[in-house]
């Protein structure tokens, strides 16, 4: 039999009382916290409800979140221009049509062939084109009258090309020629390889500058050979010309053989004019002017005389002399020598300007004129009616 101490009721009661006290201790805060949580939830709900919607005044008291916007773009409009934006007006053009064929025109008071040619854009040859197209104008010696009905050729019409005079036609053969508007004796002479003075003599012309369209002239043809400027590198030739000796004893220092009957003439005015043209070109290019030297002029004259009397054009003389040889033969000691040549028959209008223009268009001749290494020059112009080429310019540039 076990001996047990009977339970102490006092201890049990104390334990229960302590438990109850602990429960009461924890129950109070729990209830307080629960109530606070409930109030917080209710408050949040009220705030959310009060701030929902843009018309509630409470919403203004609270900052709204910056939302990530779903943008409905109002695009920056790139304006597509209208079909006719800023209009650059095309002016109303009065077209002067190019007619497809000749047209009729009634001459007005004060009209001239030149004025009519300009009116119909016929160019510089217009007066002659109108003259050629109208036999009535030809019969009236180129004169037109108000009320005349004439034919206007289309713009762009070219003058008829005359049939070249055959070389086989004997020298001096006479043909008839009707003067057209714009004709000059020089142009007529060149056209038929003739000479102005022979045309004047044959037709008893008192005033060479007063030719009338429609005049009938007798033209002696093939009096000159239609040879223009030859290349400066041409090989010397001594053609046989009827009645023209080709070679003879040398008569100019430093030159080859010349004709014993050849006596070319000089033209001092041409020399002076060409001297001015050359120096003006050098001044315009920023170069110093050249001094005229008599020894260089003599060398130029010797070579011009040889060429004109032997009908050739070349820097190399008939005795194979060079520009340096010819300058040295005149007693000029040079450190640099260059030479320009030009030949053309007077019937074709040789003059200082024509020679100068040709040289300035030729690269080698232009370089000689504008050579910065030369300081002096000599010029000669020789002309002979019995020469095939007629007139010669020779310019020798040098530096001592």
């Amino acid at each position: 039999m076990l001996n047990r101490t009977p339970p102490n009721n006092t201890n049990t009661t104390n334990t229960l009382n302590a438990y109850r006290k602990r429960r009461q201790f924890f129950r109070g805060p729990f209830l307080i916290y629960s109530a606070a949580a409930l109030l917080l939830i209710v408050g949040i709900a009220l705030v959310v409800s009060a701030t929902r919607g843009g018309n509630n005044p409470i919403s203004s008291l609270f900052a709204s979140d910056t939302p990530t916007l779903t943008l409905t773009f109002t695009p920056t409009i790139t304006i597509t221009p209208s079909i006719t934006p800023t209009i650059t007006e095309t002016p109303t053009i009065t077209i002067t049509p190019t007619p497809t064929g000749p047209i009729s025109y009634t001459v007005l008071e004060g009209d001239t062939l030149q004025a009519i040619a300009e009116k119909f854009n016929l160019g510089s040859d217009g007066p002659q084109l109108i003259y050629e197209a109208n036999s009535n104008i030809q019969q009236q010696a180129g004169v037109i009258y108000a009320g005349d009905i004439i034919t206007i050729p289309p713009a762009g019409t070219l003058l008829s090309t005359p049939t070249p005079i055959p070389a086989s036609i004997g020298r001096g053969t006479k043909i008839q020629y009707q003067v057209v508007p714009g004709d000059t004796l020089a142009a007529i002479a060149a056209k038929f390889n003739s000479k102005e003075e022979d045309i004047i003599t044959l037709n008893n012309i008192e005033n060479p500058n007063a030719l009338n369209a429609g005049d009938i002239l007798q033209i002696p043809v093939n009096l000159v050979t239609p040879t223009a400027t030859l290349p400066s590198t041409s090989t010397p030739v001594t053609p046989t010309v009827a009645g023209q000796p080709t070679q003879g004893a040398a008569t100019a220092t430093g030159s080859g053989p010349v004709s014993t009957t050849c006596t070319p003439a000089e033209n001092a005015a041409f020399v002076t004019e060409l001297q001015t043209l050359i120096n003006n070109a050098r001044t315009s290019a920023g170069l110093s002017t050249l001094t005229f030297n008599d020894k260089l002029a003599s060398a130029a004259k010797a070579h011009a005389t040889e060429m004109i009397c032997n009908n050739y054009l070349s820097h190399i003389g008939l005795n194979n002399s060079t520009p340096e040889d010819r300058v040295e033969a005149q007693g000029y000691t040079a450190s640099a020598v260059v030479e320009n040549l030009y030949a053309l028959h007077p019937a074709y209008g040789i003059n200082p300007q024509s020679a100068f223009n040709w040289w300035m268009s030729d690269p080698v001749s232009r370089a000689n004129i504008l050579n910065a290494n030369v300081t002096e020059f000599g010029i000669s112009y020789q002309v002979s009616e019995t020469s095939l080429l007629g007139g010669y310019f020779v310019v020798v540039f040098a530096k001592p």
Side-chain angles (χ1 to χ4, degrees):
M1 183 173 186
L2 295 174
N3 295 319
R4 293 182 177 177
T5 303
N8 189 345
N9 291 331
T10 302
N11 292 338
T12 302
T13 302
N14 292 337
T15 301
L16 290 171
N17 290 333
Y19 175 76
R20 290 189 187 100
K21 290 180 180 179
R22 283 196 299 271
R23 287 188 61 183
Q24 290 173 354
F25 175 82
F26 286 108
R27 180 181 298 172
F30 176 78
L31 292 174
I32 294 171
Y33 292 149
S34 296
L38 181 60
L39 290 173
L40 179 63
I41 292 172
V42 171
I44 291 173
L46 290 174
V47 169
V48 170
S49 176
T51 58
R52 182 176 298 168
N55 296 325
N56 195 316
I58 300 180
S59 65
S60 64
L61 300 177
F62 301 94
S64 60
D65 291 336
T66 302
T68 302
L69 299 177
T70 302
L71 298 177
T72 302
F73 287 100
T74 300
T76 301
I77 300 174
T78 302
I79 299 175
T80 303
S82 61
I83 296 176
T84 56
T86 303
I87 300 175
T88 302
E89 294 187 359
T90 303
T92 302
I93 301 175
T94 302
I95 300 175
T96 303
T98 301
T100 56
I103 61 174
S104 294
Y105 174 76
T106 302
V107 177
L108 304 176
E109 190 70 36
D111 267 344
T112 64
L113 290 182
Q114 182 65 40
I116 296 172
E118 291 175 358
K119 182 182 296 184
F120 289 94
N121 300 319
L122 297 182
S124 58
D125 292 330
Q128 291 192 39
L129 290 170
I130 298 173
Y131 181 87
E132 285 185 353
N134 293 274
S135 59
N136 59 327
I137 298 179
Q138 297 172 19
Q139 294 169 1
Q140 295 166 186
V143 178
I144 55 176
Y145 300 94
D148 283 351
I149 298 176
I150 62 176
T151 299
I152 307 298
T157 302
L158 300 177
L159 283 174
S160 57
T161 303
T163 303
I165 301 299
S168 58
I169 294 181
R171 177 184 173 90
T173 300
K174 299 179 183 62
I175 64 169
Q176 282 192 348
Y177 174 75
Q178 187 179 43
V179 177
V180 299
D183 262 344
T184 64
L185 277 180
I188 296 171
K191 185 183 297 185
F192 295 104
N193 307 325
S194 189
K195 297 179 182 180
E196 290 182 60
E197 57 269 29
D198 287 15
I199 298 174
I200 291 171
T201 300
L202 185 60
N203 293 276
N204 298 317
I205 297 175
E206 295 181 358
N207 184 356
N209 297 317
L211 293 181
N212 296 311
D215 287 351
I216 304 297
L217 300 179
Q218 297 290 321
I219 310 295
V221 302
N222 288 344
L223 298 182
V224 298
T225 300
T227 305
T229 306
L230 301 179
S232 59
T233 56
S234 60
T235 304
V237 294
T238 54
T240 301
V241 181
Q244 168 80 35
T246 58
Q247 293 186 5
T251 60
T253 304
S255 67
V258 296
S259 168
T260 55
T261 61
C262 177
T263 55
E266 298 179 324
N267 189 321
F270 273 15
V271 171
T272 300
E273 183 179 345
L274 186 55
Q275 179 180 345
T276 301
L277 288 170
I278 292 173
N279 273 334
N280 286 345
R282 291 179 63 87
T283 300
S284 298
L287 300 171
S288 60
T289 58
L290 301 178
T291 303
F292 196 87
N293 183 280
D294 290 335
K295 291 182 179 180
L296 296 179
S298 295
K301 179 180 179 180
H303 193 45
T305 301
E306 178 187 306
M307 289 189 295
I308 199 168
C309 292
N310 291 279
N311 298 304
Y312 80 95
L313 182 69
S314 174
H315 292 291
I316 305 300
L318 294 181
N319 61 351
N320 292 320
S321 65
T322 63
E324 291 81 359
D325 294 333
R326 294 187 288 272
V327 165
E328 184 179 358
Q330 298 297 327
Y332 187 102
T333 302
S335 59
V337 178
V338 290
E339 183 181 67
N340 279 5
L341 306 176
Y342 181 82
L344 189 68
H345 199 280
Y348 294 93
I350 188 171
N351 56 53
Q353 189 69 58
S354 65
F356 178 78
N357 290 346
W358 191 92
W359 287 332
M360 292 302 284
S361 67
D362 174 65
V364 174
S365 300
R366 178 187 176 88
N368 290 343
I369 290 174
L370 302 180
N371 190 329
N373 295 322
V374 298
T375 58
E376 300 178 321
F377 65 164
I379 303 174
S380 178
Y381 173 74
Q382 302 292 314
V383 62
S384 173
E385 290 292 335
T386 59
S387 170
L388 287 178
L389 295 183
Y392 283 78
F393 278 104
V394 178
V395 183
V396 179
F397 305 88
K399 180 180 180 180

